[in-house]
């Protein structure tokens, strides 16, 4: 299958929750930067038995959680955002994003463990002094390791990031909660951007700022080979 790369932009704010226009605001930015095509499907993460619900579902009120999956864009727009390819013979016209996935909702999601980074759940969310159990929710291509309902939570989870020594120069953040309620994941597939072997932060800082403004929250970027 070969090595592939994806890039997480996660809302690093324990108190953050999506609003009714969050999905529309993020989609507008992605379209403005020509990074997405059509909505492939929307998954209701609160009802795993009813996943792959089709593109007609509204994401205006995500509730516990939805995942909106878009086909990716291609060409120079991708290189504008992600920078040059890892390979010198790949031109801007050859660049592509395999898919883009926006995950938003009220539930807590523990960050998927990236290459060289292990996110350890130390304490689950608590309700009245008792730990909340994780929901049995998995997502295609696995974007998070666990989901915890937050409706009754009195405190969020506690997660520690363990970073391997050879990965530390690639990490683009000084601290990270390790869990989130909102994330945009750009899956580059086999179109490996050069940032994968450097600091894993998108060079188009205006784009990152626009996504942050659309989500109305601070972002942490986590790059992953898989």
């Amino acid at each position: 299958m070969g090595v592939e790369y994806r890039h997480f932009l996660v809302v690093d704010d324990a108190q953050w929750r999506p609003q009714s226009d969050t999905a529309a605001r993020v989609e507008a930015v992605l379209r403005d930067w020509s990074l997405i095509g059509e909505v492939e499907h929307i998954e209701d993460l609160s009802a795993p038995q009813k996943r792959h619900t089709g593109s007609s579902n509204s994401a205006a009120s995500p509730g516990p959680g939805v995942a909106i999956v878009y086909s990716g864009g291609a060409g120079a727009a991708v290189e504008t955002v992600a920078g040059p390819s890892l390979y010198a013979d790949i031109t801007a016209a050859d660049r592509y994003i395999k898919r883009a996935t926006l995950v938003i909702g009220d539930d807590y999601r523990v960050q998927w463990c990236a290459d060289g980074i292990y996110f350890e759940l130390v304490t689950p969310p608590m309700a009245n002094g008792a730990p909340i159990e994780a929901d049995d929710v998995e997502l295609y291509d696995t974007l998070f390791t666990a989901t915890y309902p937050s409706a009754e939570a009195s405190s969020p989870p506690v997660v520690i990031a363990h970073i391997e020594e050879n990965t530390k120069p690639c990490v683009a953040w000084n601290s990270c909660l390790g869990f989130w309620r909102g994330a945009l994941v750009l899956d580059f597939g086999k179109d490996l951007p050069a940032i994968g072997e450097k600091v894993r932060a998108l060079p188009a800082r205006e784009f990152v700022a626009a996504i942050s403004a659309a989500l109305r929250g601070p972002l942490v970027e986590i790059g992953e080979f898989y």
Side-chain angles (χ1 to χ4, degrees):
M1 182 176 178
V3 175
E4 302 190 13
Y5 180 83
R6 59 185 178 179
H7 198 84
F8 291 75
L9 297 100
V10 306
V11 181
D12 197 51
D13 179 354
Q15 305 305 315
W16 184 90
R17 290 178 185 267
Q19 300 178 18
S20 61
D21 62 346
T22 297
R25 287 167 58 90
V26 173
E27 180 174 325
V29 174
L30 292 170
R31 295 203 182 283
D32 187 49
W33 286 76
S34 301
L35 294 182
I36 56 172
E38 299 302 313
V39 176
E40 292 185 349
H41 60 271
I42 299 175
E43 301 190 22
D44 181 354
L45 300 179
S46 67
Q49 72 277 14
K50 296 180 179 179
R51 290 171 55 197
H52 297 284
T53 53
S55 60
S56 61
N57 259 13
S58 170
S61 300
V66 296
I68 308 170
V69 182
Y70 300 90
S71 60
V78 175
E79 184 151 304
T80 296
V81 169
S85 170
L86 183 62
Y87 306 107
D89 59 342
I90 300 297
T91 68
D94 297 323
R95 306 301 301 283
Y96 67 90
I97 290 176
K98 186 169 146 183
R99 72 172 63 87
T101 305
L102 175 65
V103 181
I104 53 175
D106 291 334
D107 287 353
Y108 301 114
R109 306 184 200 282
V110 177
Q111 172 67 33
W112 181 250
C113 296
D115 180 54
I117 308 175
Y118 169 62
F119 292 92
E120 177 191 4
L121 177 70
V122 177
T123 307
M126 306 294 287
N128 300 318
I132 295 175
E133 293 188 4
D135 283 341
D136 183 19
V137 177
E138 295 181 356
L139 183 60
Y140 175 70
D141 267 356
T142 312
L143 303 180
F144 42 84
T145 61
T147 298
Y148 292 89
S150 69
E152 304 299 326
S154 56
S155 62
V158 177
V159 179
I160 295 177
H162 300 278
I163 307 172
E164 293 181 4
E165 197 64 33
N166 61 352
T167 302
K168 288 181 179 179
C170 300
V171 174
W173 36 271
N174 294 320
S175 63
C176 175
L177 289 173
F179 67 89
W180 42 264
R181 286 173 162 141
L184 172 66
V185 186
L186 301 177
D187 189 338
F188 291 89
K190 294 179 181 178
D191 181 13
L192 307 182
I195 60 170
E197 291 194 342
K198 302 176 183 178
V199 177
R200 296 172 188 170
L202 297 176
R205 303 317 297 169
E206 290 184 9
F207 169 75
V208 175
I211 293 294
S212 179
L215 288 165
R216 301 185 179 96
L219 298 183
V220 161
E221 296 178 71
I222 304 171
E224 177 206 9
F225 287 108
Y226 67 101

